Amino acid sequence: MSHFSRLTTEKIRQLTPYQPGKPIKELQRELGIKSVIKLASNENPLGTSAYVSEAISRTISEVNLYPDGSCFELKETLAKSLSINANQLTIGNGSDEIFRLILQAFAQNTNDTPTEVICSEYAFAAFPIAALAYGCQIKRVDCPNFVLDIAAIPALVTPQTRVVYIDNPCNPLGSAISHHQLVSLLQKLPSSVLVLLDEAYYDYVAWSDYPRSIPLLAQFPNLIITRTFSKAYGLAGLRIGYSISHPDIAEILNRIRLPFNNNSVAQAAAKAALEDTQHLEKSIALVHQEKPILEQFYHSINFKPLPSYGNFITVDLGQSGIDIYQKLLLCGIIVRPVDNYNLKNCLRITIGLPEENLRLMTELTKISKDLSK
Ligand SMILES: *Cc1c(COP(=O)(O)O)cnc(C)c1O
């Protein structure tokens, strides 16, 4: 162990870094080919709208100035569109950053008895990584049939429990818990335990039992909802997301954030993206149009798609996911291995443009034919 490794904490020594989707340019360099598509990070394949691009261009001329650290205009626009008060909002450099603010403020391990957080065995990796960075002990909840066993959570709570994290829908599984299940959990938890409800895929969910989470804030002040501009709003590269919480929680997070955690271009783009409801609707409609086509295709080649409420489908291939991931790379298609989630026979594949999905289906058909020879 190096000198520096000894200087850090035991939990940080245990950490393995977050594995992002392979960048398009990296595969282009490796294969020397131009035509690469990425279906690996659940980004919006339609890109940004002309309206958002224009807001971005306008703001470029002001980048010599510090951004508005309070994100006033974006918060006003968000508050109006969500029918909440602006003082319930915290804007983060991606919703990822907000996980860290919450853990730093409320779950940091400061003495010999470690603080605890609870999350699914398949929870989005950014959360457990952040929890380890702040010295928390992580308790994992099972997912029988790939759905979170939310009823098992209350029994895991101890006086040391600070945060319960639920990504809903879950990435990588795509499954979600219902309004009734969420309420039942909130009723059973002590108000000292924060429930971090990650709704990164909120806009894609078409399910009448999906939690109506914002109205629950009035009854459960320990609930914190996070959402992001990275997915349906198409701004992953600008890094901007937010939480909706009790104003007192937002006030505490505001004390510890970096003074300028959200740059001016991201703020302007997010505000414009909220205003451009047409582009949002188009982005959502694309996913709903393509999802059944892809699901039917996967079944037809004997792959098992897990039911998904998001803009991605995790597919059980019945064989090594990495092998097929590598075969697809050679065809210029980047998808996402999920072996780090202990889903070695699966791949997580973002729903792309119709022509991208066609290309994927064509290559997978060839690959599956070769495999069955
Ligand atoms: C993509 C994703 C996010 C978004 O993270 P940002 O930091 O806002 O880009 C958050 N949670 C889950 C479950 C995700 O899949």
Side-chain angles (χ1 to χ4, degrees):
M1 202 190 294
S2 82
H3 175 62
F4 298 111
S5 185
R6 278 198 304 273
L7 291 177
T8 187
T9 65
E10 174 54 36
K11 292 281 192 299
I12 291 176
R13 280 195 288 274
Q14 284 172 25
L15 264 180
T16 45
Y18 181 77
Q19 294 169 17
K22 192 180 185 68
I24 288 178
K25 288 206 171 111
E26 190 177 300
L27 188 62
Q28 285 172 331
R29 280 196 302 272
E30 287 171 5
L31 297 183
I33 57 172
K34 275 237 160 67
S35 165
V36 168
I37 58 172
K38 184 180 177 209
L39 303 172
S41 302
N42 306 340
E43 292 138 337
N44 184 337
L46 293 175
T48 51
S49 66
Y51 183 76
V52 171
S53 300
E54 200 192 303
I56 290 173
S57 308
R58 250 185 286 122
T59 318
I60 295 282
S61 65
E62 300 165 14
V63 294
N64 58 314
L65 304 174
Y66 278 101
D68 172 8
S70 73
C71 300
F72 178 83
E73 288 189 19
L74 174 58
K75 279 186 184 170
E76 289 296 309
T77 308
L78 260 177
K80 214 187 229 171
S81 90
L82 299 170
S83 304
I84 56 165
N85 287 320
N87 67 1
Q88 295 178 269
L89 288 165
T90 301
I91 314 291
N93 199 283
S95 49
D96 272 21
E97 189 197 18
I98 300 187
F99 304 166
R100 298 212 170 212
L101 296 177
I102 291 165
L103 290 161
Q104 189 180 5
F106 301 107
Q108 216 174 150
N109 184 23
T110 49
N111 61 31
D112 289 342
T113 327
T115 50
E116 293 170 0
V117 299
I118 297 173
C119 65
S120 152
E121 60 176 317
Y122 297 111
F124 177 48
F127 178 79
I129 290 174
L132 286 176
Y134 285 106
C136 309
Q137 198 83 34
I138 300 170
K139 284 191 174 167
R140 297 282 191 164
V141 188
D142 289 343
C143 294
N145 299 316
F146 296 130
V147 181
L148 176 68
D149 183 8
I150 191 170
I153 292 178
L156 298 174
V157 172
T158 72
Q160 291 304 109
T161 307
R162 300 290 182 269
V163 177
V164 174
Y165 170 80
I166 300 174
D167 44 346
N168 197 44
C170 168
N171 169 11
L173 298 180
S175 60
I177 56 149
S178 69
H179 185 80
H180 171 78
Q181 286 177 302
L182 177 66
V183 171
S184 163
L185 173 71
L186 288 164
Q187 283 167 340
K188 291 186 185 108
L189 292 180
S191 60
S192 59
V193 173
L194 299 174
V195 176
L196 172 48
L197 185 69
D198 176 351
E199 296 188 332
Y201 299 96
Y202 172 86
D203 303 278
Y204 296 113
V205 182
W207 180 31
S208 55
D209 286 336
Y210 187 63
R212 297 167 293 284
S213 54
I214 292 178
L216 292 175
L217 288 166
Q219 197 184 344
F220 302 103
N222 55 328
L223 176 64
I224 307 173
I225 301 157
T226 58
R227 293 187 188 164
T228 183
F229 289 98
S230 299
K231 306 286 157 65
Y233 290 91
L235 297 176
L238 286 178
R239 314 301 308 124
I240 190 156
Y242 60 96
S243 65
I244 317 159
S245 68
H246 190 283
D248 292 354
I249 291 178
E251 192 275 323
I252 290 170
L253 301 182
N254 189 44
R255 293 182 204 176
I256 57 168
R257 67 175 176 83
L258 290 177
F260 303 104
N261 59 333
N262 301 291
N263 71 71
S264 48
V265 178
Q267 289 184 42
K271 179 171 176 285
L274 275 173
E275 289 161 352
D276 193 351
T277 50
Q278 228 178 6
H279 188 69
L280 177 69
E281 279 159 23
K282 207 168 131 192
S283 307
I284 296 167
L286 171 70
V287 167
H288 293 307
Q289 172 199 304
E290 293 293 298
K291 192 186 283 177
I293 299 172
L294 285 160
E295 284 172 338
Q296 200 181 8
F297 165 75
Y298 293 132
H299 282 299
S300 78
I301 57 167
N302 286 322
F303 291 170
K304 265 189 11 214
L306 307 189
S308 171
Y309 288 105
N311 65 336
F312 60 89
I313 302 174
T314 292
V315 187
D316 186 343
L317 315 162
Q319 60 199 291
S320 161
I322 287 285
D323 287 355
I324 294 187
Y325 166 71
Q326 272 154 356
K327 289 190 164 80
L328 284 171
L329 283 183
L330 295 176
C331 313
I333 301 175
I334 309 170
V335 299
R336 190 68 158 268
V338 280
D339 50 326
N340 57 320
Y341 288 97
N342 209 12
L343 293 166
K344 298 207 168 10
N345 283 354
C346 295
L347 288 173
R348 194 194 73 201
I349 307 179
T350 304
I351 298 170
L353 297 171
E355 56 269 30
E356 294 174 330
N357 299 332
L358 261 178
R359 182 166 155 193
L360 170 81
M361 291 190 277
T362 305
E363 296 303 339
L364 276 179
T365 303
K366 286 189 217 154
I367 291 170
S368 75
K369 275 196 187 129
D370 285 347
L371 288 170
S372 59
K373 264 185 203 151

